Amino acid sequence: MTQTAGLQTAAHTGYRHEAFLCRGIDEFLAGTVPFIRDGVRAGEPVMVAVIEPRLERIRSALGADAERVLFVDMVELGHNPARIIPGWQEFVDEYAADGRPVRGVGEPIWAGRRPAELIECQLHEALLNVAVSPDTPLWLRCPYDVAALDPSVVREAHRSHPITVDERAYRGSTVYGGANHVDEIFADELAEPSGYTEDLLFGPDDLALTRSTVIRQAIGTGMCWRRVEELGLTMHELATNSLRHGGGRGMLRVWREPGALVCEIRDAGQMGDPMVGRRKPAPSAEGGRGLWMANQLCDLVQIRSGARGTVVRVSTWL
C-alpha cells in the first residue's frame, strides 16, 4: 500500500470519515499501522477500536508506539452498535476539546455479524456523517475486509463514507449519501417477523400488563433473571414513552427468532432525530432517558420513524 501510506501524513483540521477497503490481514495492517504511527509521531491522540485478533496484530506491529494508543475491543464497545458513537464522542471530548487533532480506526462491521446487527452498523456508519461536527479535528478510518464481506456491504460503505481508501489511492465516493441517506434508512421499514407474534394493544391502564407479557416471554426462553428484569424495565419505559409521544396508545409485539427474543413497540408518533438514544442525556434533562437506557441494557435496539409512525425493536440474544 505504498501510495496510500504516502498520503497518511496529510494535515487535518476538520472531520474526515473514510472507508478503508482491504483484503485480508496484510492489507489491513498496511493501511492501519502507518496511519496510526503517523498520528502518534505527530503528537495526535489515537484510538483503535477493532476486533481481535486484529487488535493484537496492530498492537504488535506498532511496537513501542503502541504505548501511546488507546486500544478498545470493538466486540465490547460495539456489542450494541448504538453505543459506538458515544464511545467516539467521549474520546473526542477528552482529547480534542481544545481543537487538537485526533485519529481513530473503527471497525463496526465484520464478517459473521448477525443480519440485524449489520443493518444497525450500516445506520451507525451513516450517522457518523451527521453526529460529528465538520470542524471537529477527527480523522476516522473504518476498515472493510472486502474479501470476507458480502459485496452489498461494500456497496453500502461507499454510500456512508465520503472518502474511500484502498491499496491504490484516496477517492471521493460518487454515491455518498450524506444526511439524505441517514433519513432514508431511519424512515425505512424493518423486516416483518416470519413466525407467530404475541400482540398486545395497550393504553394508559395497560403498562403493568405490557411489562408482565414481556417478562413471561423472557422467562420462557430460560433467560437469567437479571436479563429478564432489565428487558422488562426497558419495555416498560418504551411503552411509557409511546403513550406520552405516540398518541396515547401503542402496540406491543413479542416473538422468537433463532437465537433471539424480540420485543417491539409501535405507535402513531414520529421522531425527527435519527440520533435518538445515542446521546447521553444531561443530568438536568427531563426526557430522553428511556431510549438511552434501552441501548445501555439491551443487545440491540432498532428505531425507525416515518409516515407510518414509529417502531422501537429490541432484540435479546439467547
Side-chain angles (χ1 to χ4, degrees):
M1 265 184 89
T2 55
Q3 288 184 320
T4 302
L7 296 171
Q8 310 266 8
T9 56
H12 66 288
T13 57
Y15 180 42
R16 299 181 62 163
H17 181 212
E18 56 193 36
F20 167 46
L21 309 179
C22 59
R23 290 182 178 274
I25 188 63
D26 290 339
E27 286 190 11
F28 173 85
L29 293 173
T32 55
V33 172
F35 173 78
I36 296 163
R37 182 172 283 126
D38 284 345
V40 167
R41 295 182 177 179
E44 299 176 6
V46 182
M47 173 171 153
V48 176
V50 302
I51 66 171
E52 293 288 10
R54 292 197 274 274
L55 193 69
E56 184 56 36
R57 292 291 300 271
I58 290 178
R59 193 196 310 266
S60 177
L62 284 171
D65 287 333
E67 298 177 4
R68 299 165 61 188
V69 176
L70 174 62
F71 290 97
V72 178
D73 188 344
M74 184 58 91
V75 171
E76 296 181 11
L77 175 62
H79 176 79
N80 178 344
R83 300 176 194 166
I84 305 175
I85 286 178
W88 285 116
Q89 188 63 60
E90 184 177 343
F91 171 69
V92 168
D93 288 346
E94 181 171 355
Y95 293 103
D98 58 354
R100 183 184 187 185
V102 296
R103 296 191 187 201
V105 177
E107 183 187 24
I109 294 176
W110 60 84
R113 283 215 113 170
R114 297 173 177 89
E117 288 180 310
L118 177 59
I119 291 170
E120 289 312 292
C121 286
Q122 290 173 329
L123 173 59
H124 155 79
E125 287 279 58
L127 281 169
L128 275 169
N129 299 307
V130 299
V132 182
S133 171
D135 59 0
T136 300
L138 168 63
W139 189 349
L140 182 57
R141 177 166 291 186
C142 305
Y144 284 76
D145 188 341
V146 299
L149 296 169
D150 189 89
S152 64
V153 176
V154 179
R155 288 195 295 272
E156 180 63 22
H158 285 270
R159 296 195 68 192
S160 59
H161 294 79
I163 300 170
T164 62
V165 189
D166 59 23
E167 72 276 14
R168 291 177 293 276
Y170 283 93
R171 294 183 181 84
S173 172
T174 59
V175 294
Y176 171 60
N180 289 336
H181 187 39
V182 172
D183 294 338
E184 289 173 4
I185 299 175
F186 192 62
D188 200 9
E189 290 286 320
L190 294 172
E192 283 293 306
S194 58
Y196 167 79
T197 66
E198 180 174 357
D199 299 348
L200 173 65
L201 184 64
F202 63 88
D205 298 327
D206 302 314
L207 285 175
L209 178 59
T210 300
R211 184 169 185 167
S212 65
T213 299
V214 170
I215 289 175
R216 171 173 49 80
Q217 288 274 6
I219 290 174
T221 68
M223 198 183 301
C224 73
W225 182 244
R226 176 186 61 81
R227 299 186 78 203
V228 170
E229 287 188 311
E230 289 175 349
L231 182 59
L233 172 62
T234 295
M235 299 312 296
H236 180 273
E237 289 296 315
L238 296 181
T240 301
N241 283 351
S242 183
L243 294 175
R244 185 178 298 124
H245 304 291
R249 61 192 300 150
M251 171 70 78
L252 168 71
R253 297 200 300 176
V254 187
W255 69 92
R256 290 283 297 272
E257 292 183 356
L261 177 69
V262 186
C263 304
E264 180 181 278
I265 298 287
R266 287 180 174 265
D267 60 50
Q270 292 188 359
M271 294 183 185
D273 181 10
M275 281 288 295
V276 63
R278 299 173 193 249
R279 296 188 184 97
K280 187 175 183 179
S284 59
E286 296 183 0
R289 299 184 183 279
L291 289 166
W292 172 265
M293 181 190 73
N295 275 319
Q296 306 315 302
L297 293 179
C298 300
D299 293 322
L300 186 70
V301 180
Q302 297 175 275
I303 305 169
R304 299 293 186 272
S305 189
R308 297 177 61 182
T310 294
V311 56
V312 182
R313 181 177 293 182
V314 175
S315 298
T316 302
W317 312 133
L318 302 178

